[in-house]
Amino acid sequence: VTAGPTREAIDPVRFLSNRSSGRMGVALATALSHAGAQVTLVHGPMEVPPPPCSTNIAVESAAAMAEAVLSRADSFDIFVLCAAVADFTVQPASQKLKKDRFNGILQLEPTTDILASLGARRQPRQLLVGFAAESEAALENARSKLVRKGADLLFVNQVGGPDCPFSAENSHLTCLDACGSSRDLGRAAKMQHAQTIATLLHQRRSGTT
Ligand code: CTP
């Protein structure tokens, strides 16, 4: 399981990040552990503590998260990538940028897409689950994301407006699967969604769905 935001250092003081709290990933690590899985949680700087039931690996940047996941990828059967990984990073300045000498331009470079990398090198036994945060045309965007990244399942969060899931205890999720079906899981507490997802993954593993 990956969880939380990543931080891309700009200089020794500042960073680029996002609003992810890590709550959904922690709920997933907890629910999957309770369902009997041995869980490794690779997490960025979260608003909530990692659970005691998983092996927890704290990282900061998107590159560190990619390294932590991809270097261990062969040892896992199920990946649930819930982290809000930065899509762009920046070469950090070694000293604090001074405003009277800064030209206002940050040169952004793309990061490694962990889900897509796993999709490209997956083994047949591995199950790949992603999340998507979408603010418009949620289901269409998420469907093309699922296909592009080679995931088996993708859980879509609507962001923006009244449905902002960040830091919230509740979220509205829709489950898309690679066969083309979708299922509205409704609005629920993240822990409840996590238990639903754990059951769903267990059924997939045992071939009952
Ligand atoms: N993801 C990832 N590595 C990245 C970016 C995203 O593994 N560098 C994963 C997320 O953990 C999530 C899925 O890809 O499971 C979709 O993330 P999302 O932020 O919704 O999509 P992006 O690929 O970042 O596309 P965009 O920001 O353009 O919507």
Side-chain angles (χ1 to χ4, degrees):
V1 179
T2 66
T6 58
R7 281 182 183 171
E8 308 308 310
I10 295 172
D11 67 16
V13 179
R14 306 171 179 103
F15 55 80
L16 298 172
S17 191
N18 60 66
R19 293 181 188 278
S20 171
S21 67
R23 283 185 173 77
M24 189 66 219
V26 166
L28 282 162
T30 306
L32 290 163
S33 297
H34 290 173
Q38 283 194 329
V39 179
T40 298
L41 177 68
V42 178
H43 65 89
M46 305 189 293
E47 284 173 21
V48 289
C53 50
S54 49
T55 300
N56 301 314
I57 301 172
V59 298
E60 208 162 285
S61 65
M65 186 171 279
E67 213 281 319
V69 175
L70 298 176
S71 65
R72 296 172 173 81
D74 291 345
S75 20
F76 295 106
D77 298 319
I78 303 177
F79 298 87
V80 185
L81 300 194
C82 189
V85 187
D87 292 323
F88 293 93
T89 191
V90 59
Q91 199 60 48
S94 56
Q95 304 300 330
K96 186 183 172 198
L97 295 173
K98 304 304 284 178
K99 63 174 174 261
D100 51 357
R101 276 179 267 139
F102 179 53
N103 65 4
I105 296 171
L106 290 175
Q107 190 68 47
L108 300 181
E109 294 154 15
T111 57
T112 299
D113 191 310
I114 305 167
L115 181 55
S117 304
L118 290 170
R121 58 184 263 188
R122 63 185 302 154
Q123 296 166 16
R125 67 178 168 87
Q126 293 180 323
L127 193 59
L128 202 49
V129 181
F131 274 71
E134 301 293 345
S135 66
E136 55 177 347
L139 296 188
E140 296 91 295
N141 283 338
R143 167 74 51 206
S144 68
K145 206 171 269 185
L146 176 149
V147 173
R148 195 171 67 244
K149 300 194 186 203
D152 296 295
L153 292 173
L154 198 87
F155 291 90
V156 192
N157 265 303
Q158 179 83 34
V159 302
D163 266 339
C164 183
F166 296 117
S167 295
E169 295 295 339
N170 297 315
S171 63
H172 187 155
L173 285 185
T174 304
C175 174
L176 304 184
D177 100 3
C179 305
S181 75
S182 74
R183 182 170 147 203
D184 187 348
L185 302 181
R187 170 166 286 282
K190 289 179 178 175
M191 195 58 218
Q192 195 182 323
H193 278 316
Q195 280 159 353
T196 305
I197 293 170
T199 304
L200 228 142
L201 297 182
H202 187 263
Q203 288 167 342
R204 285 229 157 195
R205 278 282 94 163
S206 54
T208 53
T209 188

